[in-house]
Amino acid sequence: MTPTAPEGAASAAAQTQPDQTETPAFGRVLLKISGEALMGDTTFGLHPPTVQRIAREVKSVRDMGTEICMVIGGGNIFRGLAGSAQGMERTTADYMGMLATVMNALAMQSALEELGVFTRVVSAIPMDQVCEPYIRRRAVRHLEKKRVVIFAAGTGNPYFTTDTAATLRASEMSCEAIFKGTKVDGVYDKDPKKHADAKRYETVSYDEVLQKHLGVMDASAIALARENRLPIIVFSLDEPGGFRGILAGRGTYTRVTA
């Protein structure tokens, strides 16, 4: 549907016009990326050119007509488990990690809106001055209006990772798949950066991911995806046009399914 004011009718029409040259394989997806993906070649924080590049990838998929939401980790700023390991109380450390995801979400929102993509940051922890609180029906409505929705602050609860938050939100939004953007083009039986003989899976089952500790997502996230029969597409976020290519039926990736 066409967004209503305040964006304006003319610009809204341009926002919702899909690319007719390719038909996407999915109508609504969730993209999960780590906070480290926003660092680029740096060792901490945000690398603006990398954020902008990912934003262009997201826009290219949105332009196909696919409704897209996102979950971004916070490990480039603060990781709760790391803080806990250094003696910080775990609940406090996890809340700090949630705040880091809000910072990343706002950065991505800024990059997307510079490209003319209407975007909403929706936080599981209320902070009305900077983003919207999570209300499922409102978030669904944003997607229906072809806005990109970025879910921040995880689930709003300590002891749960952003992987679990991504699977939860994808299930709540009735997404057709989770796209997990990584540094490699799929799931391997061992680290391909350390082992030349590593083999990539074309498809792998949820149970196999858990039994072989393949590290796609944490166990809670995989179990939730399995329960909701939600496929996980693991692909390389560093491959230009890779996100759009997979939705168009090409490219290299691993599909995690039943």
Side-chain angles (χ1 to χ4, degrees), residues 54-75:
I54 295 173
R56 288 193 295 271
E57 294 281 334
V58 172
K59 180 181 185 299
S60 71
V61 168
R62 199 291 314 268
D63 288 347
M64 294 176 74
T66 296
E67 297 171 3
I68 179 168
C69 49
M70 301 177 67
V71 170
I72 307 172

Side-chain angles (χ1 to χ4, degrees), residues 122-126 132-140 151-152 168-169 172-173:
V122 178
S123 172
I125 299 175
E132 296 182 9
Y134 175 67
I135 299 171
R136 189 187 70 82
R137 288 180 179 271
R138 182 184 293 177
V140 169
F151 295 111
L168 176 63
R169 296 296 184 237
E172 290 177 309
M173 295 298 106

Side-chain angles (χ1 to χ4, degrees), residues 154-170:
T155 66
N157 300 289
Y159 297 95
F160 290 94
T161 68
T162 51
D163 281 345
T164 301
T167 309
L168 176 63
R169 296 296 184 237

Side-chain angles (χ1 to χ4, degrees), residues 38 52 80 102 107 118 173 192 199 204:
L38 305 184
Q52 292 160 6
V102 177
F118 300 141
M173 295 298 106
K199 296 181 179 179
V204 62

Side-chain angles (χ1 to χ4, degrees), residues 16-239:
T16 57
Q17 185 65 35
D19 187 330
Q20 300 295 334
T21 61
E22 294 176 312
T23 301
F26 300 102
R28 180 182 293 174
V29 301
L30 183 142
L31 173 63
K32 167 63 172 69
I33 61 177
S34 66
E36 288 87 347
L38 305 184
M39 291 194 306
D41 295 328
T42 64
T43 58
F44 177 82
L46 295 160
H47 182 238
T50 299
V51 177
Q52 292 160 6
R53 176 182 62 79
I54 295 173
R56 288 193 295 271
E57 294 281 334
V58 172
K59 180 181 185 299
S60 71
V61 168
R62 199 291 314 268
D63 288 347
M64 294 176 74
T66 296
E67 297 171 3
I68 179 168
C69 49
M70 301 177 67
V71 170
I72 307 172
N76 57 319
I77 299 172
F78 188 87
R79 185 177 293 278
L81 275 175
S84 178
Q86 294 176 18
M88 185 177 292
E89 195 271 322
R90 173 65 187 273
T91 300
T92 299
D94 280 355
Y95 278 122
M96 291 175 67
M98 292 178 212
L99 296 179
T101 71
V102 177
M103 295 171 68
N104 285 338
L106 292 173
M108 183 58 65
Q109 179 186 42
S110 177
L112 284 165
E113 290 188 339
E114 285 182 5
L115 298 173
V117 178
F118 300 141
T119 308
R120 297 291 185 270
V121 173
V122 178
S123 172
I125 299 175
M127 47 185 80
D128 295 347
Q129 289 180 304
V130 295
C131 53
E132 296 182 9
Y134 175 67
I135 299 171
R136 189 187 70 82
R137 288 180 179 271
R138 182 184 293 177
V140 169
R141 184 61 172 156
H142 287 324
L143 290 172
E144 291 173 345
K145 290 186 175 183
K146 308 304 179 185
R147 297 166 180 159
V148 172
V149 177
I150 307 175
F151 295 111
T155 66
N157 300 289
Y159 297 95
F160 290 94
T161 68
T162 51
D163 281 345
T164 301
T167 309
L168 176 63
R169 296 296 184 237
S171 300
E172 290 177 309
M173 295 298 106
S174 300
C175 291
E176 298 169 27
I178 297 173
F179 278 69
K180 176 72 180 289
T182 68
K183 293 289 186 181
V184 294
D185 58 357
V187 180
Y188 286 78
D189 59 352
K190 46 192 166 184
D191 190 343
K193 294 183 178 181
K194 297 179 180 178
H195 304 277
D197 61 343
K199 296 181 179 179
R200 184 178 60 82
Y201 295 93
E202 292 287 340
T203 61
V204 62
S205 70
Y206 304 114
D207 290 339
E208 198 169 2
V209 168
L210 293 172
Q211 291 166 4
K212 295 184 177 181
H213 304 285
L214 294 177
V216 176
M217 288 180 161
D218 65 64
S220 297
I222 294 296
L224 184 58
R226 178 181 59 189
E227 181 179 342
N228 290 282
R229 297 185 176 276
L230 188 61
I232 303 168
I233 309 296
V234 183
F235 71 105
S236 173
L237 196 63
D238 292 337
E239 179 69 25

